Amino acid sequence: MLTLWDLIEPILRPGKRRRADQGAPENRGRPGSIIPRAPSPVAVKPEAVAQASPNGRARLNGHVAPRAPAMASPAARESMQDRYDRITQDTLRAHTIRVRKWRTSMSGIAWYVTYQDGRISRLIEAPRPKGPMSAAVFLHEVGHHVIGFDVYKPRCLEEYHAWAWAMRTMDALGLNITDGVRHRMHESLWYAVAKARRRGLKVIPPELEPFIHRPARQRRGAPDG
């Protein structure tokens, strides 16, 4: 049996009836809060055409389409090994160098072959860059091709400029130049100078004077690749 309240309630509280008819959940949050409701599915007609709006967002049936969520840039998702791999490939491609062999030791060699038709094949053997040390040795061998062979004499001066190029490149690429890398460079240049002096070098180039003496032995620690 209907009461008087049943007849007048829809008139006094129309909003409550509409929410109940639409199946909206009761607001149980803090006062003034709104609990979001899942949007009703909308059928898109085949003839609907997406058009670009002035702000660059697409319009569908006259309505601005929601903007897609921003995706993280490739650089943000790139791991350190991915970065080393990318730098390796970019460097080899930029200087037209081919790796004859990836070495497992922290040593390398650079050379080139000139063919009868004038073609030049630039080759290196080096460790695959996986950390600061392997990256430094790899870039040092690339540096020989970049600065040119037999451009700097004596031979120990060429070693210096190849290492200088490698260090500048690591710094420009934001790669970590560790104490181990600096020690390796110093020891390599000391060896080159000592070898040249054994072969009769009398005048040491000014650039190599800091490397006349062998560096102090470095404490063994975790390899930095």
Side-chain angles (χ1 to χ4, degrees), residues 14 28 33 66 79 89 105 130 132 149 155 178 180 184 188 192:
R28 298 183 182 276
S33 64
S79 68
Q89 294 305 315
S105 63
K130 296 181 180 180
F149 293 89
R155 179 73 170 79
T178 63
R184 173 58 182 273
S188 175

Side-chain angles (χ1 to χ4, degrees), residues 57-170:
R57 297 173 64 183
R59 286 183 175 273
L60 187 62
N61 284 346
H63 299 283
V64 178
R67 191 184 301 275
M71 302 296 291
S73 64
R77 300 194 303 268
E78 186 179 47
S79 68
M80 198 61 211
Q81 186 56 56
D82 290 338
R83 187 180 179 190
Y84 276 121
D85 292 341
R86 174 176 55 80
I87 289 173
T88 299
Q89 294 305 315
D90 290 348
T91 302
L92 294 173
R93 187 182 305 111
H95 301 288
T96 321
I97 296 172
R98 181 167 61 88
V99 178
R100 181 179 178 276
K101 178 183 177 182
W102 289 116
R103 294 189 176 186
T104 56
S105 63
M106 294 297 159
S107 63
I109 186 173
W111 75 101
Y112 66 93
V113 177
T114 302
Y115 299 95
Q116 290 182 351
D117 59 2
R119 289 184 299 112
I120 297 177
S121 182
R122 298 176 178 85
L123 304 163
I124 65 169
E125 290 185 9
R128 186 188 297 274
K130 296 181 180 180
M133 185 67 75
S134 53
V137 176
F138 165 78
L139 290 171
H140 169 74
E141 301 307 334
V142 172
H144 278 291
H145 288 289
V146 175
I147 67 173
F149 293 89
D150 300 321
V151 173
Y152 298 98
K153 293 185 178 182
R155 179 73 170 79
C156 53
L157 188 58
E158 180 180 316
E159 284 294 310
Y160 168 83
H161 283 285
W163 272 115
W165 184 88
M167 296 299 101
R168 287 196 304 269
T169 302
M170 289 186 72

